[in-house]
Amino acid sequence: MENKKVPKIGLALGSGSTRGYAHIGVIKTLEKNKIPIDFIAGASVGAMIGAVYAFYKNSSKLEKIILSPSWRQIISFIDPSLRGGLINGNKIKRFINESIKKSSFSKLKIPFKVVATDFQTAEPIEISKGNVAAAVQASISVPLFFKPVLLQERMLWDGGLSQSVPVETVRKMGADIVIAVNLDNKSRFNNERSIGNNPYLVALKTIKYFQYHLAENCVKSADVIINPLIKDSPVAGWRRVLKGEGKTSILEGQKATKLVLPKIKKMIENATY
């Protein structure tokens, strides 16, 4: 019997601070439905979630780690609404190193790339060598809250600034079918309220507009787009995470993935020969 060629699936995990718990729901649903994940690329919180999954290749282990109290606190640090002032992110790097046993990219079970942004040139930088935790630390370094990270002779900032959903990165890794998870979709605007002349809320909303349009541009070339419906709450979002309500976002990730499962399965079937 002639061997069939099965298409390679790439997963592009987008930025989105505390909304990143939805990535877990996406991965759980793909795994449950036996959709293979052959490549992963992540930006910002997508890099954090992707790193842990690429190391264990087990969604139950991923969920257990990310929902632990220590990790909830770590994820809250990458929410821009949390606090002002520059921090170096070393605590986050330490937690990631402990969780994935100080792994290098070469030790991961799934090929994985992290996207960060060059501090000087603003171009996206793809990282796939060296210590994984160091790369993730660079990718989650939100301007005004984190110091840029010196890595590979570059000063790097948050990957969400340049390629918020790294579709092109995972395509270049060899993916035939790219599944993009966009956390900066229109659902962020479903809980809007009057912001009046509050300069803080005006600034946050302005940033949200930029994030939305950048993400829309990034996912244009994806084969499948998953849009978890997570309402934005810029002031209270991190508090909910600390209370353990990330499970709600996980469920939204699952729901959004179930909606596109027929399309994914059809694409795999049509591309198998």
Side-chain angles (χ1 to χ4, degrees):
M1 183 180 293
E2 186 178 350
N3 291 330
K4 289 185 177 181
K5 182 178 179 181
V6 179
K8 298 291 186 181
I9 309 297
L11 186 61
L13 300 177
S15 59
S17 65
T18 54
R19 300 184 303 285
Y21 281 96
H23 289 319
I24 300 174
V26 172
I27 292 170
K28 286 180 65 176
T29 305
L30 294 175
E31 192 175 87
K32 181 179 179 181
N33 286 272
K34 296 181 171 54
I35 305 296
I37 301 174
D38 300 294
F39 306 100
I40 303 174
S44 197
V45 71
M48 184 182 292
I49 302 295
V52 178
Y53 185 68
F55 180 78
Y56 289 102
K57 202 177 180 178
N58 183 308
S59 62
S60 296
K61 183 70 173 179
L62 168 69
E63 185 174 19
K64 182 178 180 180
I65 289 174
I66 302 298
L67 287 181
S68 67
S70 56
W71 269 84
R72 290 203 302 268
Q73 185 177 33
I74 288 301
I75 288 180
S76 75
F77 279 130
I78 65 173
D79 191 320
S81 66
L82 178 59
R83 56 169 60 79
L86 291 175
I87 57 179
N88 58 29
N90 286 334
K91 186 176 182 180
I92 295 176
K93 180 181 176 182
R94 184 173 69 251
F95 269 89
I96 298 170
N97 262 325
E98 290 173 355
S99 298
I100 62 174
K101 308 183 190 309
K102 299 182 179 180
S103 180
S104 63
F105 282 87
S106 62
K107 300 294 183 182
L108 299 176
K109 294 181 180 178
I110 301 173
F112 176 58
K113 280 191 176 183
V114 169
V115 174
T117 302
D118 189 292
F119 179 77
Q120 298 292 337
T121 66
E123 65 182 313
I125 303 298
E126 300 170 353
I127 309 169
S128 58
K129 294 181 180 179
N131 178 262
V132 175
V136 173
Q137 180 189 12
S139 187
I140 63 174
S141 294
V142 181
L144 303 181
F145 302 92
F146 287 86
K147 298 176 181 178
V149 173
L150 178 61
L151 189 66
Q152 298 182 359
E153 299 183 352
R154 293 176 180 264
M155 296 300 292
L156 301 176
W157 254 349
D158 193 308
L161 295 171
S162 56
Q163 196 180 165
S164 56
V165 191
V167 170
E168 291 306 312
T169 294
V170 80
R171 179 86 68 190
K172 288 186 292 183
M173 292 173 73
D176 300 304
I177 298 172
V178 175
I179 301 171
V181 187
N182 180 12
L183 303 179
D184 286 318
N185 56 67
K186 285 186 176 180
S187 67
R188 295 189 67 189
F189 301 95
N190 290 343
N191 199 32
E192 289 296 326
R193 58 186 176 83
S194 175
I195 60 176
N197 294 319
N198 185 318
Y200 172 73
L201 294 179
V202 169
L204 284 179
K205 190 165 185 176
T206 302
I207 292 170
K208 190 192 300 187
Y209 287 156
F210 281 113
Q211 291 171 329
Y212 167 73
H213 287 291
L214 175 59
E216 286 292 300
N217 186 61
C218 286
V219 301
K220 282 181 180 178
S221 61
D223 299 294
V224 179
I225 304 170
I226 299 176
N227 291 300
L229 302 180
I230 305 173
K231 293 181 180 180
D232 220 12
S233 182
V235 176
W238 66 273
R239 294 193 184 99
R240 292 202 306 269
V241 169
L242 290 178
K243 292 178 180 178
E245 295 182 27
K247 290 184 178 180
T248 301
S249 293
I250 293 176
L251 290 174
E252 291 299 334
Q254 291 175 292
K255 290 179 184 177
T257 308
K258 288 176 182 177
L259 291 175
V260 299
L261 274 176
K263 180 178 181 179
I264 295 173
K265 291 178 178 179
K266 187 68 175 178
M267 292 188 73
I268 292 174
E269 180 183 343
N270 290 341
T272 301
Y273 58 91

